[in-house]
Amino acid sequence: MKELKELNGFVSQADIELLLADSNCNDHPLLYYLFADVTDSTGYYGYTKANTFFAIKRLQCLDAQWLAQQKKKVLEKDRNNASAALGEIRCYENLIEVFGKDKVSIVHTEKNKQTSDIAVEYYSEKVIVEINTVQMNGKEAEELKAFHSLKPSGKGIQMREHVSHPFGTSIGCTVTEKVIYKIINIKQQSSQFSEDEPSVLWIDLQDEKINLICDRLYNISPVFTGKNIGGEAFFSNELWYALYATKDMPVFEGVSLDCNEGIELKELPSMKLDGKFALANSTKIDAVVFSGPNAVILCENPFSTKPLPAWFIEKLTSMKWFKFESSRTNLPCNQLTKQLEIDRTIIEELGKKKFYRW
C-alpha cells in the first residue's frame, strides 16, 4: 500500500487491512485520509490530511511513547474515538511547534479525578488545555451510515439523495441554532478546567463530517452576508454566538432586507441559551481556540478572573494558520469588552429591521 509510506512507522499494512476488512469502518477517518478519492467541495481535505500526517511524523521524533498510545485510539473501530485521537495529535504537535517540547507536557489522568489534556508552562506560569474534536450528531451519523449501506435494487441507472444535518435537528430550532447550542454544550460542566490556572478549551473543527462550519473562522464578525435563495442574505456566525451571545438575542439565518426576497417575517428566531462567555462566573474556561484546516483563532472570556498570560497569546499568534483578524482577544490594548459591546449593538440594531425570507 503505497499510501502508507506517509505514515511509515506509525501504522502498519496489517493495521489498515484489519480496518478495511470491517464493514463498520467504511467511514473511518484514518482510511478517509489514506485512500479517499475525494472531490471535496469545501477544499479542506488536503489541508487536514497534511496537518494530520505532518503532526504524526513530528511526534514520532518528539514524543514517540505518547504517539504509540494514541495509535490504539486512532485504530479503534469507533470513528468518533479515532477522530478525537487525531484531533489530540494535531493539537499537541501545534503547541509543541509554538512553545517548544520542553514547555508542553501531557497531563496524566489521576484516579477518580477529571484532568485536562495538556499543560503549557513558561516563566513559572502554567496554562492548561482541554481538547475536543467536534463530531457529527449521533442520530444523523446513523442515518447517513444506513443510507450508504443500502444496495441498489433492480437494473439501470439509479439516483439516490440523502440530506444530513451534521449538528442535528430539533422541532422549533433552526439549523443555525443547533450549531450554536452544540458548541455551547462542549465541556459545559467545566470539570476538567482549573479553578486557579488559566484554562483553554481547544475545539478542533477538522473532522470531515462537520468541517463546513470552518469558513466562519475567516471572519468572526457576529453577523455576515452569504449566498441564499435569490441573492445575498444575513446569517449569524455560530462560533461568535456560541461564545458571546446572550439569551433572547436575534438569530439570523438566510434573511434579507430586500422586500422582493420573500415574505416579511413576523419575528426572528432568538437565542434560548446564553453563550459560554456571555455572563460573569458562568465557566472556568478562560479562552477557546477554534482550530480549522487552514485557520486558527483565539477567543478570550471577557469575564475571566485568571486571564491568559501575555506570553501565551503572543506565542500563539505565531502558530501556523493563526488569524489575528478573526480572533477576539485583549491583545494588544485590552479592547475585548469594547469590541463585544460593538458586536452586540450591531446585532440588536440589525434585529430591529424588517426581514424577508422565502
Side-chain angles (χ1 to χ4, degrees):
M1 295 183 183
K2 63 180 181 179
E3 294 89 350
L4 283 179
K5 290 182 180 179
E6 296 185 79
L7 294 180
N8 183 35
F10 178 60
V11 293
S12 67
Q13 181 171 329
D15 293 327
I16 298 303
E17 287 177 348
L18 282 174
L19 291 178
L20 289 171
D22 193 323
S23 60
N24 291 320
C25 295
N26 289 337
D27 65 343
H28 194 281
L30 188 60
L31 298 182
Y32 177 70
Y33 289 114
L34 280 171
F35 305 119
D37 183 13
V38 175
T39 302
D40 179 21
S41 61
T42 68
Y44 295 139
Y45 173 84
Y47 287 107
T48 299
K49 178 177 179 178
N51 293 340
T52 305
F53 286 12
F54 180 77
I56 289 171
K57 291 176 184 178
R58 286 263 295 156
L59 290 174
Q60 284 178 317
C61 300
L62 295 169
D63 198 338
Q65 183 177 356
W66 178 83
L67 187 64
Q69 295 173 342
Q70 287 297 105
K71 172 185 172 179
K72 299 175 184 177
K73 299 178 184 178
V74 170
L75 293 175
E76 282 191 30
K77 295 178 181 179
D78 186 326
R79 83 162 310 279
N80 289 341
N81 291 341
S83 181
L86 293 174
E88 291 174 6
I89 288 171
R90 289 189 290 263
C91 175
Y92 186 31
E93 189 279 326
N94 282 168
L95 292 173
I96 291 176
E97 179 71 19
V98 172
F99 296 100
K101 180 63 181 76
D102 59 326
K103 305 293 191 302
V104 181
S105 60
I106 297 295
V107 178
H108 297 288
T109 304
E110 299 179 26
K111 188 177 182 180
N112 300 323
K113 182 180 178 181
Q114 288 188 309
T115 58
S116 58
D117 294 311
I118 294 174
V120 182
E121 296 187 63
Y122 205 68
Y123 295 136
S124 301
E125 293 182 298
K126 182 188 291 185
V127 174
I128 67 170
V129 179
E130 174 70 14
I131 309 162
N132 181 274
T133 303
V134 182
Q135 307 285 336
M136 188 177 189
N137 173 271
K139 182 182 178 181
E140 293 287 324
E142 286 299 319
E143 291 178 355
L144 181 60
K145 183 177 180 180
F147 172 77
H148 286 306
S149 66
L150 291 174
K151 296 181 179 180
S153 58
K155 298 180 179 180
I157 296 174
Q158 299 181 29
M159 295 184 66
R160 296 186 299 132
E161 183 179 65
H162 178 79
V163 177
S164 289
H165 298 87
F167 291 86
T169 59
S170 294
I171 296 175
C173 194
T174 67
V175 173
T176 299
E177 287 178 273
K178 287 298 294 184
V179 178
I180 294 168
Y181 300 150
K182 185 175 179 68
I183 296 172
I184 288 175
N185 287 326
I186 295 173
K187 305 294 180 181
Q188 188 73 343
Q189 299 302 316
S190 302
S191 54
Q192 290 99 331
F193 300 97
S194 173
E195 296 276 3
D196 309 306
E197 294 166 324
S199 300
V200 174
L201 172 58
W202 183 287
I203 299 179
D204 188 297
L205 297 171
Q206 298 186 64
D207 186 284
E208 71 272 12
K209 303 290 187 182
I210 59 91
N211 64 9
L212 278 169
I213 192 68
C214 289
D215 64 354
R216 311 300 196 257
L217 295 169
Y218 307 135
N219 188 334
I220 197 66
S221 294
V223 183
F224 65 93
T225 50
K227 290 183 179 180
N228 196 47
I229 298 173
E232 297 295 301
F234 285 89
F235 295 85
S236 292
N237 187 322
E238 297 91 341
L239 304 184
W240 186 97
Y241 267 66
L243 299 184
Y244 301 119
T246 54
K247 191 176 179 180
D248 298 324
M249 185 173 281
V251 176
F252 307 89
E253 184 181 283
V255 294
S256 174
L257 293 173
D258 186 349
C259 63
N260 295 312
E261 293 296 328
I263 301 170
E264 182 180 344
L265 297 177
K266 294 182 179 179
E267 61 179 354
L268 293 167
S270 60
M271 287 286 290
K272 300 176 180 66
L273 301 172
D274 289 304
K276 283 184 176 294
F277 300 157
L279 304 174
N281 304 317
S282 60
T283 180
K284 291 185 287 185
I285 302 171
D286 302 293
V288 165
V289 170
F290 289 112
S291 176
N294 61 351
V296 177
I297 67 172
L298 170 67
C299 296
E300 290 190 85
N301 181 350
F303 299 108
S304 174
T305 58
K306 43 188 177 67
L308 297 181
W311 59 262
F312 185 89
I313 301 173
E314 290 173 6
K315 293 285 284 185
L316 202 67
T317 62
S318 66
M319 177 178 289
K320 184 179 181 182
W321 306 126
F322 189 83
K323 305 296 182 186
F324 178 77
E325 68 276 17
S326 291
S327 297
R328 286 292 183 267
T329 170
N330 272 312
L331 184 76
C333 52
N334 294 317
Q335 75 276 27
L336 179 58
T337 299
K338 291 181 180 180
Q339 178 63 62
L340 294 177
E341 288 175 357
I342 294 171
D343 289 344
R344 292 189 177 108
T345 299
I346 290 171
I347 294 171
E348 290 167 3
E349 293 302 314
L350 189 61
K352 296 175 184 178
K353 301 287 187 180
K354 289 183 179 181
F355 281 98
Y356 302 85
R357 182 178 179 180
W358 290 111

